[in-house]
Amino acid sequence: MTVPPSVVSSVESVLEERAGRPVRVRRSASVGGGCINPSARVETEKGEAFFLKWNHSTDPEMFQAESDGLRALYAPGALRVPEVIGWGGESTSENPGWLLLEFVPRGAPVGGYGHLMGEGLARLHSSAAGTPPTSSFGWHRDNFIGSLPQANRTTRQWSEFWRDLRIEPQFRLSRELGYFEGKGGEDIEILLDRMEAILPPEAGHGPALLHGDLWSGNYFPDASGAPVLIDPAVYRGEGEVDLAMMELFGSFPAGFLDGYQGVRPIPSEYEAYRRDLYQLYYLLVHVNLFGGGYVGGSLSAVRRVLSVT
């Protein structure tokens, strides 16, 4: 896919400012894997390579929000995160939005990859980098989960945040789309009403810096075999949320749990019911993005939580 000329021009301007000399993009090659934005590896006449994504029809705030999240994850140095080079555009046909990053080649996992991933993620969850203050859940700006808006108003209570800014908005949207009529919707309403009891203030570790969308497509080994994080939906929440997303459509890499728990213990409540509670958010997101195939999984998660709390 050809990079739009206006994006090439903007990228060259950013690279010129960064290098202190004229820079020209010599070639580009499509990079697969993304389901929302076209992307490419772009190379300058000096042989420098960068990762570029763009879109002419997404929310104009999307790439700015992603840039903010990547920089937050980059700051603690817990795991490798591509450096943000620049972003811009207005997400229009004439002026597409774009995001330019360090290009990180994919490699094969080394021995101990899972342990490194677990240890690094636990250190990320324990870091004090970024905003808002660590006593609050949420973030200093809203962002996106996939292509859906994700509100991040800060709260002191985790149960309030998870109910009012995660489960309820996705549930209401799914109802508008015609899902969860009858008993299924009633069960979700019961869950929302009981959230303060299900997640009491003493329930977890407190606000952690989260990736926010940590499925297997959003981390990979670099050329040295070390883990890399991409495509975040950052905020401060309980670290178990990232663990739950990692397990939703797959499993932890071998050695991950030993690495994670060596730094940050995982409470028994995670296995008992909180994994289901946190996976529910992502299942509802999938209902709203991809349809009714995820309704059954959503209701199974709800009923497992209600059965043990």
Side-chain angles (χ1 to χ4, degrees):
M1 181 175 290
T2 303
V3 181
S6 64
V7 174
V8 172
S9 178
S10 296
V11 164
E12 289 176 340
S13 295
V14 166
L15 292 176
E16 286 177 6
E17 183 176 354
R18 181 173 182 260
R21 56 172 172 79
V23 175
R24 292 292 175 265
V25 171
R26 180 174 62 179
R27 63 169 63 97
S28 64
S30 180
V31 176
C35 60
I36 298 174
N37 307 296
S39 59
R41 178 187 183 272
V42 297
E43 186 178 315
T44 71
E45 79 284 359
K46 297 288 188 181
E48 301 166 300
F50 301 92
F51 176 83
L52 174 67
K53 63 170 73 174
W54 67 93
N55 204 304
H56 60 78
S57 60
T58 57
D59 191 299
E61 295 287 312
M62 180 171 285
F63 290 129
Q64 182 180 4
E66 183 175 347
S67 171
D68 170 75
L70 287 166
R71 284 173 168 151
L73 296 178
Y74 181 93
L79 287 166
R80 186 173 184 183
V81 178
E83 180 187 0
V84 175
I85 309 300
W87 59 270
E90 298 175 351
S91 294
T92 64
S93 297
E94 299 76 20
N95 187 18
W98 56 272
L99 176 65
L100 185 69
L101 306 175
E102 169 193 8
F103 183 78
V104 181
R106 291 176 182 255
V110 297
Y113 170 78
H115 190 279
L116 288 172
M117 178 68 181
E119 185 177 62
L121 187 64
R123 288 193 287 114
L124 178 70
H125 288 166
S126 301
S127 73
T131 56
T134 56
S135 59
S136 298
F137 297 97
W139 200 237
H140 65 97
R141 61 162 298 145
D142 295 339
N143 48 33
F144 299 85
I145 180 70
S147 59
L148 296 177
Q150 179 173 263
N152 292 317
R153 172 178 57 84
T154 58
T155 70
R156 291 285 184 175
Q157 298 299 322
W158 176 235
S159 59
E160 177 186 353
F161 184 90
W162 197 249
R163 181 191 63 215
D164 296 349
L165 289 110
R166 290 296 177 264
I167 302 301
E168 187 166 25
Q170 296 299 328
F171 173 52
R172 299 304 172 203
L173 177 57
S174 67
R175 291 292 291 269
E176 292 172 11
L177 294 173
Y179 301 109
F180 300 112
E181 301 294 337
K183 181 65 164 58
E186 292 172 5
D187 286 343
I188 297 178
E189 295 280 9
I190 292 170
L191 178 69
L192 291 169
D193 289 343
R194 291 174 54 184
M195 194 67 75
E196 290 183 4
I198 294 170
L199 291 175
E202 67 276 11
H205 288 287
L209 182 60
L210 301 185
H211 177 282
D213 191 15
L214 200 54
W215 69 289
S216 60
N218 285 345
Y219 61 93
F220 64 89
D222 65 12
S224 72
V228 182
L229 302 182
I230 60 171
D231 294 348
V234 163
Y235 61 99
R236 287 196 177 278
E238 285 291 346
E240 295 164 48
V241 174
D242 276 347
L243 305 183
M245 185 50 169
M246 290 181 73
E247 290 198 280
L248 180 56
F249 301 120
S251 59
F252 297 129
F256 174 89
L257 283 175
D258 285 343
Y260 190 92
Q261 295 201 98
V263 176
R264 189 179 175 92
I266 300 173
S268 60
E269 290 85 355
Y270 172 77
E271 183 75 26
Y273 66 90
R274 292 206 299 241
R275 174 171 50 206
D276 288 304
L277 179 61
Y278 297 145
Q279 287 180 347
L280 175 60
Y281 173 58
Y282 298 104
L283 287 165
L284 291 173
V285 166
H286 276 69
V287 170
N288 294 328
L289 287 175
F290 305 115
Y294 294 93
V295 167
S298 300
L299 292 178
S300 294
V302 169
R303 288 161 182 162
R304 283 193 295 267
V305 174
L306 293 177
S307 70
V308 296
T309 59

